Amino acid sequence: MTDATHDTTARGKPGPMLAADGTPLKRSLARALRMQKIRALLLIAPLLLFVLVTFIAPIADMLFRSVENDIVANTLPDTVEELASWDGASGETPSEAVYQALYFDLFIAAEAKEHTKLGTRLNYEQTGISSLFRSTGRNLDDLGKDYQKTLKKIDKSWDDGAFWYALMSGEGGEEVLESHRLQYMQLIGQSPRSIISRFWCVIRGIFYKACPTALEDIDLNFTPSAEAAQMLPATVAAYSDFAVFTVLADGDVVAEEDPWEAVYAAFAQDLNAPGTVEKIQSYSGPGQAELLAVTENLADLPAPDFKTTFLDIDKDWGKIENWQTIKIYSPKYTSGYFLNSVDLMKTPEGIDARPENQRIYLKLFKRTLFMSLVITGSCILLGYPVAWILANLPARKANLLMILVLLPFWTSLLVRTSAWKIMLQQQGVINDTLVWLGLVADGNRLVMINNQFGTIVAMTHILLPFMILPMYSVMQTIPPTYLRAAKSLGATNWTAFWRVYFPQTVPGIGAGSILVFILSIGYYITPEIVGGTTGTFISNRIAYHISSSLNWGLAAALGTILLGVVLLLYWAYDRIVGIDNVKLG
Amino acid sequence: MADTLTSGAFVEFERVQKSYDGETLVVKDLNLSLPKGEFLTMLGPSGSGKTTCLMMLAGFETATHGDIRLDGVSINNIPPHKRGIGMVFQNYALFPHMTVAENLSFPLEVRKMGKAEREQKVQRALDMVQMGAFGGRRPSQLSGGQQQRIALARALVFEAELVLMDEPLGALDKQLREHMQFEIKRIADNLGITVVYVTHDQTEALTMSDRVAVFNDGRIQQLAPPDELYEAPQNSFVAQFIGENNTLEGVVKEIKGGTCIVQLDGGEVIDAKPVNVTQPGERTRVSIRPERVEYNKNRLQEGAHTLKAEVLEFIYMGDIFRTRLRVAGNDEFIIKTRNAPDVERLKPGQQIEIGWLPEDCRALDAN
Ligand SMILES: Nc1ncnc2c1ncn2[C@@H]1O[C@H](COP(=O)(O)OP(=O)(O)OP(=O)(O)O)[C@@H](O)[C@H]1O
Ligand SMILES: [Mg+2]
């Protein structure tokens, strides 16, 4: 090595090595290797794609779901904005402006039937919110209806959709409209079409049939008048919501529909805003006369009191806790699910422990780990002798025994678990036998199912092959001469086993333990069937949140923690035992 | 060989039989007795039962019939770990999860020896096989020859009086093999241990042993010191198995005194020494070592029978000449002559006459 360096320095200019065609050797090598790599990549591409799509993507989605929380901001965008200035720890309900924003946010949400989803989501954090949202959604119309009646009395045309359309339409208000269109799309969980999906739609249009027009491309046949927006901002905003919804959701024509009650409420609010009357008096567009008529009857149209309206609908809108919950969960990302997973919760003052009676997850995690360890341990104890016999029996008998070991693999998991139910239950085979033998009194039958014991027994049985097979394959490679050598050196049977044979089987035990432990930590069906309440695992809770409570965020957070625990243990195992010491075959 | 039950023998096999499957006997009627300090080699073709004998002695197989005694005590009454027999296995069987030093210290640990004493003995044993610096290595980090030496050291470290070695040099190259043969012999002599050594390499057997037991078909064909085995084989298996050998087949014509006359199948008549033949008319196979054949008339005895031979091939091998002849219809008749100035170099096609001393030509059994 040193000689070579000396040589090149001695010659002065080392210069790069050249390949036969004159290109630097390094570059030709890189090119040759690149071709190989690309070919290899192409070869594994189908599998890679399959794994990515079916495995990595769902896990990534799960990780994302565990922190994702945009439903509050999407459903109540203006409310969230207004709430920012409210101090949740002040002990006072939010200001009128918040209730006002909530009214309009909730109105369109209720029309789109999205408010119940938000209610469900917030209900995970604060019970009662779900019904609060549902009942409120039904009663939002009343406020506007009163104004509508009053206006109708002043002038018939206020009850006419076409009149409203004429009043609101004009030029220059595109920006207002588009912002409301975007809000609506967020509300129903749609984002504008990306370049990629537009490109895909072009291709799809050529070969199959065109995509439906994107929501952002649909012509609403309505442009708010900038003048009206300047004069009656809340009304134009509410009317824009109405227009967007009428076209995009119902597929109707804006001019032919009567506006929402919310538009009347907004109108009343605008009328009572300072300066509006002056603006109306100097206004000269469509509906000038009707507007002037209204300004003369202002006394009949008091400003709406949104807060009182909400409190009348449901007094829970005056509960600070509900507002705190909305505020805490208004950011687009939250650590709430994770905190929840470890029995903590967010409060306006910061992170705090959950009340005693709500702490279940840490206990479940601990129980899952503990029981998985016990199951792994009993698998080792039961599997080791079997693997040993398998490895030392003549081939024909070993094959027969192997079939017995593998038999559980060929039987449905459900059948095996149910069989254990029959075996272990109080009127079951084992109890019957014990009673018959007189070992247990008839009135005193053992409880062996629907508890930890049942889960451990059934899962040990089910996971045993995963322990036996790696142990067997390792033991098979240990020649019997080692034991003989140990004995010839003066070791007793036990010493020979313990000092010579056992250490060589540790890689097999390690492999089996990793398999069994990781499988059992995420096991679901067996604990569900035989676990009762004390024998269930964290995975049962995850399944519950996925299929019953539909709290996918919490399920995702629990799953992510489980994944983290497994990776952590794997890492620890690698540090302590060394992963190259694991032999699966 | 029924009278091997010499009193004072260290290891004794008495009428031992062994069958694995209950149908065939792998070891048939084995009788063997060796005194303390002897280096005995079991030599035989593959499958002749050598390992089986060793395993019975070490206690890993039990004899189906007969008795094996160690120092006068029947071995069936002593469990393997109490026999104090050192063993070097065919594949060394060094414990892969222990270092070299731990391997060596294992037999001392199970004997509950103190740490200081243990370390001292391990070091001494390692030095003995010139592996003193390798105590910290794992067996997998050693070459075949080094592993072999460690296996030897491990068999010796607990001062066993009897050491069994099952083809310990089987996996080594020729040079290392020869070196290790010498080494093993030296160590065995220095320690005065009794060694039972198994091999199917006859050179190894001849160079190392005090006595060699030639195995075939589950029986000891001959048990003798190396020189006797080579020069006076008791039957045609031993004659053929040990060293190079020319055979001619024929019928005994006449036996008188220490010689007999054999008429070969081609009609030629030769002198031989009767070993396995008792009466005229018996078929026999005569065996002559290549280096005992003479073609120089001057060196032949007066009146000795000679045979006509045609030279087929002449090979110059440096120290010797090796010539292939056709003799009495046998194309594979080899003679070896020392390369000396006065020795004539034969040419293919040349017709010569060959002969030998009657005592060098042994008339053995015909099968
Ligand atoms: N465990 C066993 N079960 C059945 N037959 C066996 C067993 N071990 C050896 N045999 C048979 O016994 C015979 C003698 O075997 P053994 O191992 O003693 O031969 P060996 O002389 O050591 O041969 P090698 O020189 O090849 O090692 C063989 O035919 C072999 O097939
Ligand atoms: Mg053998």
Side-chain angles (χ1 to χ4, degrees):
Chain A
M1 222 26 228
T2 40
D3 280 359
T5 12
H6 268 296
D7 223 25
T8 37
T9 38
R11 262 191 275 126
K13 272 182 245 156
M17 274 284 232
L18 297 186
D21 59 356
T23 50
L25 192 55
K26 251 195 184 150
R27 186 143 19 105
S28 352
L29 180 68
R31 198 191 308 136
L33 287 182
R34 193 169 342 116
M35 284 308 293
Q36 271 180 13
K37 271 186 206 154
I38 290 176
R39 223 173 301 146
L41 204 66
L42 281 179
L43 211 59
I44 60 160
L47 178 66
L48 198 66
L49 213 67
F50 179 79
V51 168
L52 269 176
V53 169
T54 60
F55 193 70
I56 307 283
I59 288 183
D61 184 61
M62 178 189 80
L63 293 177
F64 181 64
R65 263 178 205 281
S66 62
V67 292
E68 180 198 32
N69 184 53
D70 52 8
I71 186 166
V72 182
N74 281 347
T75 314
L76 307 174
D78 294 337
T79 316
V80 165
E81 215 166 282
E82 291 293 341
L83 263 182
S85 55
W86 175 65
D87 179 9
S90 66
E92 284 171 29
T93 50
S95 64
E96 171 71 11
V98 173
Y99 284 96
Q100 180 190 330
L102 179 68
Y103 179 81
F104 294 108
D105 281 342
L106 212 51
F107 199 96
I108 184 166
E111 289 294 331
K113 307 213 166 43
E114 294 287 336
H115 66 303
T116 51
K117 287 186 196 164
L118 177 62
T120 312
R121 161 70 186 96
L122 291 175
N123 207 55
Y124 300 148
E125 317 299 342
Q126 177 76 34
T127 37
I129 289 200
S130 177
S131 61
L132 177 62
F133 271 81
R134 216 171 307 121
S135 68
T136 310
R138 279 197 300 271
N139 294 313
L140 283 175
D141 290 356
D142 299 347
L143 177 66
K145 274 210 179 94
D146 296 339
Y147 290 115
Q148 190 179 2
K149 262 183 229 153
T150 318
L151 281 167
K152 193 174 162 188
K153 255 183 250 161
I154 297 169
D155 193 322
K156 267 252 183 307
S157 43
W158 287 111
D159 205 23
D160 177 19
F163 168 75
W164 272 101
Y165 182 74
L167 179 63
M168 293 287 117
S169 298
E171 281 170 358
E174 290 88 351
E175 221 169 280
V176 179
L177 186 71
E178 288 311 315
S179 76
H180 282 271
R181 190 208 290 262
L182 214 62
Q183 274 187 4
Y184 171 71
M185 284 170 62
Q186 275 176 358
L187 173 67
I188 60 169
Q190 290 218 4
S191 43
R193 242 173 230 175
S194 63
I195 296 183
I196 295 175
S197 49
R198 278 177 193 278
F199 178 69
W200 165 245
C201 277
V202 171
I203 295 179
R204 187 181 131 160
I206 295 170
F207 290 104
Y208 174 54
K209 70 179 190 198
C211 304
T213 318
L215 291 183
E216 65 267 28
D217 293 338
I218 293 178
D219 186 2
L220 299 176
N221 276 322
F222 167 70
T223 312
S225 136
E227 202 182 357
Q230 217 261 322
M231 179 171 63
L232 308 165
T235 318
V236 171
Y239 194 83
S240 295
D241 273 343
F242 157 74
V244 167
F245 189 85
T246 304
V247 178
L248 298 189
D250 296 342
D252 292 330
V253 179
V254 184
E256 293 167 6
E257 298 298 315
D258 293 338
W260 286 341
E261 289 77 3
V263 176
Y264 292 98
F267 185 48
Q269 187 203 331
D270 277 338
L271 286 175
N272 287 288
T276 309
V277 174
E278 290 75 31
K279 280 178 199 157
I280 289 177
Q281 278 156 0
S282 59
Y283 172 75
S284 61
Q288 182 192 16
E290 289 83 352
L291 278 170
L292 282 172
V294 168
T295 50
E296 279 151 30
N297 291 297
L298 260 186
D300 295 338
L301 294 164
D305 185 348
F306 290 105
K307 188 168 183 171
T308 318
T309 311
F310 274 105
L311 288 177
D312 285 348
I313 294 172
D314 198 319
K315 62 176 185 334
D316 278 357
W317 283 112
K319 260 173 80 177
I320 305 275
E321 290 89 343
N322 289 336
W323 285 105
Q324 282 172 341
T325 307
I326 294 176
K327 180 164 168 133
I328 287 172
Y329 287 94
S330 57
K332 283 199 179 275
Y333 297 97
T334 180
S335 56
Y337 291 125
F338 277 102
L339 293 175
N340 202 341
S341 302
V342 290
D343 292 340
L344 298 174
M345 64 179 179
K346 285 185 150 194
T347 62
E349 289 83 27
I351 294 164
D352 205 355
R354 275 181 182 270
E356 200 82 50
N357 57 349
Q358 288 180 20
R359 290 182 208 161
I360 50 171
Y361 297 116
L362 275 186
K363 204 173 90 191
L364 268 177
F365 272 118
K366 275 187 215 146
R367 183 199 292 166
T368 306
L369 289 180
F370 168 74
M371 286 178 64
S372 297
L373 277 178
V374 173
I375 289 163
T376 311
S378 29
C379 276
I380 294 176
L381 285 184
L382 291 177
Y384 199 91
V386 177
W388 186 82
I389 289 175
L390 268 177
N392 287 287
L393 230 47
R396 189 132 46 88
K397 285 184 195 159
N399 281 345
L400 197 73
L401 193 61
M402 186 57 115
I403 289 176
L404 292 182
V405 170
L406 290 176
L407 204 61
F409 270 146
W410 303 333
T411 323
S412 155
L413 179 63
L414 222 53
V415 172
R416 277 180 280 157
T417 309
S418 310
W420 275 113
K421 215 166 171 123
I422 295 169
M423 293 283 286
L424 295 174
Q425 64 193 346
Q426 283 196 293
Q427 302 302 323
V429 180
I430 292 179
N431 263 316
D432 281 349
T433 313
L434 289 177
V435 169
W436 181 75
L437 288 173
L439 294 174
V440 168
D442 197 10
N444 218 353
R445 284 166 178 258
L446 302 175
V447 185
M448 296 185 289
I449 200 85
N450 295 334
N451 56 16
Q452 296 200 358
F453 180 79
T455 310
I456 290 172
V457 169
M459 281 186 59
T460 301
H461 169 236
I462 284 160
L463 295 176
L464 204 51
F466 293 98
M467 183 63 85
I468 292 178
L469 291 178
M471 288 208 272
Y472 166 62
S473 65
V474 166
M475 288 181 185
Q476 241 189 345
T477 62
I478 303 175
T481 39
Y482 287 130
L483 274 182
R484 293 184 162 182
K487 280 188 226 165
S488 83
L489 293 172
T492 57
N493 283 340
W494 169 251
T495 318
F497 165 77
W498 184 245
R499 294 279 315 273
V500 174
Y501 192 77
F502 181 78
Q504 296 187 61
T505 58
V506 164
I509 300 177
S513 301
I514 285 197
L515 273 181
V516 169
F517 187 78
I518 289 180
L519 277 174
S520 69
I521 213 175
Y523 228 70
Y524 157 65
I525 296 180
T526 306
E528 184 72 23
I529 297 177
V530 299
T533 47
T534 57
T536 48
F537 280 20
I538 193 73
S539 37
N540 298 101
R541 210 58 204 167
I542 295 177
Y544 165 77
H545 283 307
I546 292 231
S547 57
S548 301
S549 84
L550 300 184
N551 190 351
W552 284 26
L554 183 57
L558 290 171
T560 306
I561 292 179
L562 203 56
L563 181 67
V565 168
V566 169
L567 290 180
L568 193 78
L569 287 172
Y570 188 79
W571 175 79
Y573 186 91
D574 187 28
R575 289 301 300 272
I576 299 166
V577 184
I579 218 65
D580 17 321
N581 272 338
V582 168
K583 274 196 212 145
L584 284 175
Chain B
M1 257 162 284
D3 58 346
T4 44
L5 309 176
T6 351
S7 60
F10 186 45
V11 179
E12 263 183 307
F13 283 77
E14 189 190 342
R15 317 215 55 167
V16 171
Q17 294 185 329
K18 170 72 186 173
S19 168
Y20 283 106
D21 51 10
E23 286 168 15
T24 50
L25 282 174
V26 170
V27 174
K28 304 165 185 163
D29 193 29
L30 179 77
N31 293 288
L32 182 67
S33 147
L34 66 156
K36 254 199 169 93
E38 185 173 54
F39 196 118
L40 178 103
T41 299
M42 294 180 173
L43 176 68
S46 190
S48 54
K50 306 180 298 283
T51 301
T52 307
C53 285
L54 224 52
M55 288 300 164
M56 287 192 289
L57 185 52
F60 301 123
E61 299 289 352
T62 41
T64 322
H65 177 83
D67 199 13
I68 303 172
R69 280 189 294 272
L70 185 64
D71 227 357
V73 185
S74 177
I75 215 158
N76 294 335
N77 302 334
I78 322 171
H81 67 272
K82 292 238 177 87
R83 293 184 187 181
I85 299 177
M87 181 141 186
V88 181
F89 287 81
Q90 209 159 350
N91 52 5
Y92 314 145
L94 295 177
F95 306 137
H97 58 291
M98 299 184 186
T99 63
V100 163
E102 284 166 351
N103 261 286
L104 258 65
S105 125
F106 181 81
L108 306 178
E109 271 171 54
V110 299
R111 286 177 171 74
K112 310 239 164 15
M113 202 173 276
K115 189 156 184 274
E117 196 184 353
R118 234 161 49 206
E119 278 171 5
Q120 186 199 342
K121 288 202 168 185
V122 166
Q123 197 51 47
R124 211 189 310 145
L126 281 176
D127 289 340
M128 182 175 66
V129 293
Q130 287 148 27
M131 293 285 292
F134 291 82
R137 295 235 196 143
R138 301 241 163 205
S140 57
Q141 296 167 321
L142 299 178
S143 74
Q146 291 168 333
Q147 289 186 26
Q148 206 289 315
R149 282 190 244 175
I150 299 303
L152 183 64
R154 191 178 65 176
L156 297 174
V157 71
F158 59 97
E159 286 156 10
E161 287 185 80
L162 174 62
V163 177
L164 313 181
M165 304 189 194
D166 191 354
E167 298 188 38
L169 307 181
L172 306 186
D173 65 67
K174 189 165 172 291
Q175 206 161 356
L176 194 56
R177 231 180 137 95
E178 279 165 7
H179 176 70
M180 286 307 300
Q181 285 169 7
F182 170 76
E183 202 90 318
I184 290 174
K185 181 70 179 152
R186 181 180 62 85
I187 291 170
D189 285 349
N190 281 354
L191 299 179
I193 49 174
T194 313
V195 177
V196 179
Y197 190 96
V198 166
T199 181
H200 46 214
D201 178 338
Q202 40 154 312
T203 331
E204 200 165 295
L206 295 181
T207 51
M208 295 173 81
S209 328
D210 296 330
R211 282 196 298 165
V212 178
V214 179
F215 272 65
N216 189 36
D217 196 23
R219 280 179 208 279
I220 294 184
Q221 302 290 335
Q222 186 169 358
L223 174 62
D227 52 346
E228 192 185 324
L229 205 62
Y230 185 80
E231 283 162 28
Q234 287 295 318
N235 55 36
S236 51
F237 174 81
V238 177
Q240 254 162 335
F241 193 74
I242 308 284
E244 214 168 1
N245 189 50
N246 293 306
T247 55
L248 296 169
E249 301 209 3
V251 179
V252 180
K253 272 269 159 205
E254 181 186 339
I255 303 180
K256 62 167 194 260
T259 60
C260 65
I261 295 174
V262 175
Q263 180 167 30
L264 301 180
D265 292 348
E268 302 89 337
V269 174
I270 55 168
D271 298 320
K273 178 180 178 182
V275 179
N276 266 354
V277 289
T278 45
Q279 61 205 48
E282 234 178 301
R283 276 202 71 77
T284 181
R285 183 180 281 168
V286 295
S287 124
I288 315 107
R289 297 283 177 203
E291 66 276 14
R292 297 294 166 94
V293 180
E294 279 294 348
Y295 56 89
N296 187 340
K297 283 255 175 59
N298 306 337
R299 297 202 190 161
L300 281 176
Q301 232 172 13
E302 198 64 30
H305 286 101
T306 58
L307 289 176
K308 285 195 168 47
E310 183 192 345
V311 178
L312 295 178
E313 202 177 357
F314 177 85
I315 300 169
Y316 177 85
M317 291 178 77
D319 54 344
I320 56 160
F321 305 138
R322 188 183 150 93
T323 317
R324 190 158 66 84
L325 307 173
R326 179 182 297 139
V327 176
N330 180 355
D331 278 352
E332 297 293 331
F333 200 98
I334 306 289
I335 61 174
K336 285 183 193 163
T337 28
R338 209 162 49 84
N339 183 357
D342 59 332
V343 173
E344 179 193 357
R345 300 190 181 188
L346 300 170
K347 290 174 193 62
Q350 196 176 343
Q351 300 287 336
I352 53 169
E353 286 209 2
I354 56 167
W356 47 73
L357 298 178
E359 59 265 34
D360 287 337
C361 176
R362 298 170 69 81
L364 304 168
D365 53 308
N367 34 42

